[in-house]
Amino acid sequence: MDSEIEKAIQVLKVGGIVIFPTDTAFGIGCRIDNEDAVKRLFKIRKRPESKPLLALVYSVEMAKKYWRSIPQDVLDKLIRKYWPGHLTLVLHSAKVMVPKIVLAGTGTLGLRYPKNEILLKVIKEVGVPIVAPSANFTEQKTPFKFEDLDPELVRKVDYVLKGNVSLEKNVSTIIDCTVEPWKVLRQGAVKI
């Protein structure tokens, strides 16, 4: 397994696209800072560029580098309670760190700190957040098992890190923390 993890890390470092298990579902991703890879990811998934992407981080400290700031109430009531875990938080992006295509013109960035040791190792070694929508074509079923992956999608990526989705087998809950009151954009594994 270690050699497979190392291969995924190397592919991501050079701007490749990898399918991997997370703690919620199978994801497909690339480095957040490689605009060409992000464009290719949109194309592979047949995702409209008008829809922003979320990314995965390996720590709160990494998230702080990619958000403009974290309000104290978000830190106290959401991050300390639910991270690492199944909650994606949307805050204002530190724009110089993130290509515009990731944000889809919103100026905001959704980040999640997953609860999956292998994935955290991958993100830490790559050194930047991994843009990571679910590993499916847009509007198709979210894959929770390796067998759920569309073979056509698998053929289009550079590497597949096999394994099992580790915990919830449910999408993450997404909360927009740029508005008051906060707005649930997608209800998932975390009930808020």
Side-chain angles (χ1 to χ4, degrees):
M1 185 67 174
D2 283 349
S3 63
E4 293 173 24
I5 296 167
E6 286 304 317
K7 172 75 172 169
I9 291 166
Q10 293 313 312
V11 170
L12 288 164
K13 278 186 173 181
V14 299
I17 296 188
V18 175
I19 290 175
F20 46 83
T22 75
D23 50 342
T24 57
F26 268 86
I28 179 172
C30 63
R31 319 170 48 105
I32 197 170
D33 61 351
N34 186 317
E35 194 165 351
D36 290 337
V38 174
K39 285 178 181 175
R40 186 171 158 231
L41 180 63
F42 271 101
K43 188 175 178 183
I44 287 172
R45 286 193 74 243
K46 303 175 184 173
R47 181 183 179 102
E49 289 187 13
S50 59
K51 291 182 75 175
L53 292 167
L54 66 84
L56 302 174
V57 295
Y58 80 87
S59 66
V60 175
E61 289 70 34
M62 179 181 261
K64 286 178 179 177
K65 293 178 186 173
Y66 289 84
W67 281 328
R68 196 179 315 150
S69 66
I70 302 175
Q72 193 62 46
D73 58 343
V74 172
L75 193 60
D76 293 340
K77 295 177 182 172
L78 297 174
I79 290 176
R80 288 195 176 118
K81 185 171 182 181
Y82 296 106
W83 276 18
H86 308 96
L87 184 63
T88 300
L89 300 174
V90 177
L91 285 166
H92 294 287
S93 170
K95 291 179 183 150
V96 295
M97 301 292 284
V98 184
K100 288 181 183 175
I101 188 170
V102 174
L103 310 178
T106 63
T108 61
L109 176 63
L111 294 177
R112 187 166 78 84
Y113 177 5
K115 196 184 264 188
N116 177 300
E117 292 304 318
I118 292 171
L119 185 54
L120 291 173
K121 178 181 179 180
V122 170
I123 299 165
K124 186 174 185 176
E125 290 298 317
V126 172
V128 296
I130 304 297
V131 172
S134 56
N136 58 319
F137 292 114
T138 297
E139 304 301 325
Q140 289 192 351
K141 190 176 140 207
T142 301
F144 297 107
K145 298 185 305 225
F146 183 78
E147 299 76 36
D148 295 339
L149 293 169
D150 187 313
E152 182 188 344
L153 186 72
V154 170
R155 283 192 297 274
K156 291 176 181 271
V157 303
D158 302 306
Y159 190 69
V160 177
L161 181 59
K162 294 181 181 172
N164 297 312
V165 172
S166 56
L167 294 170
E168 193 71 31
K169 293 182 177 57
N170 191 356
V171 295
S172 68
T173 297
I174 303 175
I175 298 181
D176 183 351
C177 298
T178 67
V179 294
E180 292 214 12
W182 301 326
K183 183 178 179 184
V184 176
L185 302 178
R186 178 177 76 191
Q187 187 64 63
V190 173
K191 305 298 180 213
I192 302 283

